[in-house]
Every structure is written in C-alpha cells, then in structure tokens.
Amino acid sequence: MKGTAGKIPSPRSLTELVTERLRGDIVDGVFAFGENVSEDRLAAAYGVSRTPVRDALSALQFQGLVEVRPKRGSFVFDPTADDIAELCAYREMLEREAIRMSVAGSRGALCDQLDGIVARMEAELARKDFQAYAHSDTDFHRAFFAFCGNRLVTSAFDMAEARIATVRTALTSPYVERRDASFFEHCQIVDNLRQGDIDTALALLADHIDRTRVVAVARVS
C-alpha cells in the first residue's frame, strides 16, 4: 500500500470526555472537598445526559476522587489528616523508587524533561498563573514515572495521582510562601539528579513531600 500508513485514532467517547472534565474540575478545586456532585447537577453543567455522568462518577470513584453513598448521592472525597498522611507516605515511597529506576537508565532524559518543567514553572510564577503552576508541579512529579520503565509502578501511582494533585491545589497552593519554597525545592532536586547525587535528591524529595503533608494536615485539622 502506498501513502501514509497508520490507524486513524478513534474518537473519544462522551464518557471519557466527561470523566476528564470532572476529574480536572475536582483537581482544580471547582468542586470542594465533600461537595455533593449529583448526576442531575453535573449533567446540566456539562450539557450531557445522566448516563455519561454516571459512568464518569463510577470511574472517579475507582480513583478515590468521588465517594458514592447509597441513597445519599455522590460526593467529592473529603480527606482526614490520617488520609493525607497515608497518601503522602504512599506518594513518597513510589516517587523515591521511580527516581531510582529512572536514573538507572535514563538520567539525562529525565533531567532534561525536569529542566523544561522547572522553566515553565518559573514563568508561571512570574505571571502569577498559580493554577498552571499547580499543573506543572503535577507534571514534575509525574515525570519520574515516565522514565522508570515499570508499568506496575506507574499504575500504582496513577491510582493516587488525582488525589495528590487535589490535595496540593486545595490545601497547599494558596500559601505563597510555601509555593516559593516549593519551587526552590524542585530546582534543588533537579540539580542533584543532574550531578548524580541521588541520595541527596531523594532526601530533598522526602522533605518536600513531608512539608506538603504538614501544611495540608494543618488545613484539615
């Protein structure tokens, strides 16, 4: 066959689009912790029928972003201090191992990608686009898994990533001083990875996540 070969990508289903939209709205704080997100309300807001909304809520329940309570409705997850502590411990464990695996085979590529994200974060801070900065913060930590070469480790992180991002947006991003300190910590992590000082980078990562935990727990206590 002559010409350009390749499969034509299938159009995304309405359920996928609604799931992505609702996930983004929860992560970005459009819906607050514990807020009721009824099928009727979401269907009206998104201009769709209840069926894709119901399927989206089911998918996000699996990710831990939504709690479906029988005869009461669907609600955005509402973490306790213990929930946040567990989430941060889980995150630190997975990110630490993902970094070790990534630097073993793709340290240069990882650092190049992290450098690009840090540059983007700096520009977003300068123009005070804090929502974009929060998204880039998520991209920074996600990059560890892009190069780890282990789908199971990546899948384990996928299960908690949205909750991690939501906690960051809702509970830590509003603090300007924490945001500035966080940016400096990201820079330090990349610098040490670039220099091959993995132990220091991992220690910085642990401190970085623990400071996030302290701020977040203080907000819900």
Side-chain angles (χ1 to χ4, degrees), residues 111-124:
C111 290
D112 287 345
Q113 183 160 319
L114 293 176
D115 280 337
I117 296 171
V118 165
R120 194 170 77 218
M121 294 169 78
E122 184 174 23
E124 289 157 353

Side-chain angles (χ1 to χ4, degrees), residues 131-153:
Q131 185 176 91
Y133 179 86
H135 292 172
S136 293
D137 193 335
T138 295
D139 290 343
F140 182 94
H141 293 274
R142 179 75 187 178
F144 304 151
F145 298 87
F147 295 95
C148 77
N150 189 306
R151 288 174 295 177
L152 293 177
V153 172

Side-chain angles (χ1 to χ4, degrees), residues 20-30 91 113-114 116-118 120-122 124-125 127 129-143 157 161-162 164-166 168-170 172-173 179 182 186:
E20 182 178 285
R21 172 71 180 277
L22 180 55
R23 181 184 188 278
D25 283 347
I26 293 174
V27 169
D28 289 342
V30 175
R91 172 191 174 190
Q113 183 160 319
L114 293 176
I117 296 171
V118 165
R120 194 170 77 218
M121 294 169 78
E122 184 174 23
E124 289 157 353
L125 280 180
R127 66 174 184 266
D129 189 345
F130 302 134
Q131 185 176 91
Y133 179 86
H135 292 172
S136 293
D137 193 335
T138 295
D139 290 343
F140 182 94
H141 293 274
R142 179 75 187 178
F157 183 71
E161 183 184 23
I164 291 167
T166 306
R168 178 189 299 117
T169 300
T172 66
S173 291
R179 192 184 303 120
S182 174
H186 285 89

